[in-house]
């Protein structure tokens, strides 16, 4: 039992709720025999799903259902959720991590509420003011780590500075990149251009050599792979990430449509299918779904609210990876070098 | 001579400078016989280019070179440029518009300086605090107008409100869209989510029915075509636009690379070429280069700093289109309905 990995799952969050999260949970249990899940949510709905889907005993033995009378709605303000949703699936899942019953929590629910509840229950690592949401994007040279992706919409320079330290620790520790190149997302590469907090964070990173800071990066260079870590506030990061998702879908649609415009091209559809499938896979938001809330004392993974079964399964995978490489300790080491 | 269209061109701006801008100018002269250009920049460099390229007399007769002793550098602060670059190619080009010698100005130079000089020399339309940079993006349903794209990085609610009115006037006037749907770019579609200025602008647009305001839009829905006009501050807009450019290049590269991975796929390259060309064209930043500075009393077009010959030619086209549909008057009408 010593290598058992126990996660707390918020079954009610996200646009699809338990219809995406329960099949994802079952798939994760099937894939990893040492996995144990607390499923937090509406107990009768969960049980009726299991009955309907005829869940196997070997999987059912590795779940414990925690009945949650309420749900954090997607439009609940974080302050409201903190006061009035202490019996929600999200709050109960995080409480299990606080109480050391689970190692990590995965939720597709309201980001602001997840942040606020995580700060209250799990707390941030010493030296970190606010956690950040982090994810990886593909680049021509491999991948880059981007943070923050929506958790912190009004960032001061010292928040961006902390994101740089956390992102660098993640890239070197988890992805094994030696001296990861860190850039600040800005609207120009000149040192005096952009918003005040970004310019100030650049000055801080230049004067403290804790990370391999390489200056500003513009959004059109993100996919070139100029940086290993890209730091920005949550509003900018959210736009970067969601623009990418939207454009990737648009291009897929256009490719498919172009291929259907005449008989000659329809023939091409069959021939081109494997090529397009490769590209679609590389840019599939579901495949790379699962953004770690970086800077907390335990692992909390925020899944995309619109995640489907495959997407939420990928978020569970992210939690398992973060645990296996002891991500929290890596961040603590990175931040303690700060000063 | 009454239908002569006279433009003032800042020949020295942008990454490629006159090596992109002069060939673009000659191509524009060749395309439109009624076009006359003031070419503002280093006179001897311009003349030596013309000599080297053997410009035809019919084109040379329709240009006048205005010698500019200095250039606005890409990293000059706007305040510095305003004080110390009054003999620059950019300042002289805008002065020609102020003096009614040219109808419009096109520059690929420093955006902040172009904004500041335009505000000083051309002035904004009554009721508009600051001009915005606007451009069109393709969507599944056609196109959408996005503003601001980098001119205003710290926006208050009333600026966003003015952008909404200007963008709506542009979409209905220039693109002929009846009651264009206007959305505010945000990180969630819930009314209480996002940055303060965006939430407040939403309240203002809801309570004044001057445009067909449809609420918040997330970046992943931009390319779906849910809105005809998308309003945001310049930092967010710049990230939206540049992320799109960068990802489009990334996908083009990936497609090309995928097609080369084996012999079977190499055969496909030839067959798929027309399909990929279509998509590349639709997303080519050069093709749609040229963002109008919206809200000024004359037409000023900001070309992408990295624009090549084709890109700058497209920026000149944008200026001609803006003049032919009397864009400035359309905005004045839209704003005067505001109250």
């Amino acid at each position: 039992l010593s290598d058992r990995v126990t996660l707390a799952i918020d079954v009610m969050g996200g646009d699809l709720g338990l219809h995406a999260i329960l099949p994802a949970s079952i798939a994760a249990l099937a894939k990893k025999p040492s996995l144990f899940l607390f499923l937090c949510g509406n107990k009768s709905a969960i049980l009726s799903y299991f009955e309907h889907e005829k869940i196997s005993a070997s999987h059912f033995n590795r779940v414990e259902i925690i009945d949650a009378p309420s749900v954090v709605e997607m439009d609940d303000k974080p302050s409201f959720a903190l006061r009035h949703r202490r019996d929600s699936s999200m709050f109960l899942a995080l409480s299990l991590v606080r109480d050391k019953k689970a190692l990590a929590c995965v939720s597709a629910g309201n980001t602001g509420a997840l942040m606020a509840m995580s700060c209250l229950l799990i707390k941030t690592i010493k030296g970190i003011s606010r956690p950040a949401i982090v994810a990886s994007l593909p680049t021509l040279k491999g991948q880059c780590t981007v943070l923050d992706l929506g958790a912190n919409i009004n960032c001061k320079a010292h928040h961006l500075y902390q994101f740089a330290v956390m992102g660098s620790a993640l890239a070197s520790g988890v992805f094994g990149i030696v001296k990861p190149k860190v850039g600040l997302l800005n609207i120009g590469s000149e040192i005096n251009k952009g918003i005040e907090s970004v310019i100030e964070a650049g000055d801080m990173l230049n004067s403290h050599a804790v990370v391999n800071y390489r200056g500003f990066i513009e959004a059109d260079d993100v996919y070139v792979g100029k940086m290993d870590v890209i730091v920005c506030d949550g509003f900018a990061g959210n736009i970067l990430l969601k623009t990418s998702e939207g454009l990737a879908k648009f291009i897929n649609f256009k490719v498919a449509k172009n291929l259907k415009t005449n008989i000659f091209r329809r023939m091409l559809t069959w021939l081109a299918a494997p090529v397009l499938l490769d590209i679609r896979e590389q840019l599939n938001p579901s495949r790379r779904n699962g953004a770690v809330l970086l800077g907390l004392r335990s692992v909390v993974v925020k899944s995309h609210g619109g995640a489907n079964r495959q997407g939420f399964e990928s978020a569970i995978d992210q939690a398992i990876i973060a645990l296996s490489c002891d991500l929290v300790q890596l961040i603590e080491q990175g931040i303690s070098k700060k000063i």
Side-chain angles (χ1 to χ4, degrees), chain A residues 84-105:
Chain A
H84 302 290
R85 296 286 180 255
R86 301 216 166 195
D87 57 358
S88 64
S89 52
M90 184 187 284
F91 197 93
L92 296 182
L94 289 166
S95 303
L96 289 165
V97 179
R98 176 200 55 192
D99 299 341
K100 312 280 181 213
K101 290 181 179 164
L103 295 170
C105 168

Side-chain angles (χ1 to χ4, degrees), chain A residues 105-109 111 114-115 118 131-136 145-151 170 175 238 241 245 285-296 298-305 307 311-312 314-319 322 327:
Chain A
C105 168
V106 184
S107 172
T111 310
L114 187 65
M115 274 287 279
S118 296
I133 292 182
V134 63
S136 289
T145 298
V146 185
L147 71 166
D148 175 55
L149 291 172
L170 181 77
F175 303 127
N238 184 283
L241 188 73
E245 289 176 13
S286 288
R287 208 180 63 105
R288 56 176 174 69
N289 185 50
V292 177
L293 279 190
L294 216 60
L296 293 166
S298 297
V299 171
V300 177
V301 172
K302 165 71 175 87
S303 161
H304 195 300
F312 199 84
S314 159
I316 295 174
D317 288 343
Q318 286 290 315
L327 177 59

Side-chain angles (χ1 to χ4, degrees), chain A residues 14-17 20-21 108 286 289 303-312 315:
Chain A
D15 301 340
L16 300 174
I21 296 169
S286 288
N289 185 50
S303 161
H304 195 300
N308 57 13
R309 184 202 58 72
Q310 189 198 3
F312 199 84

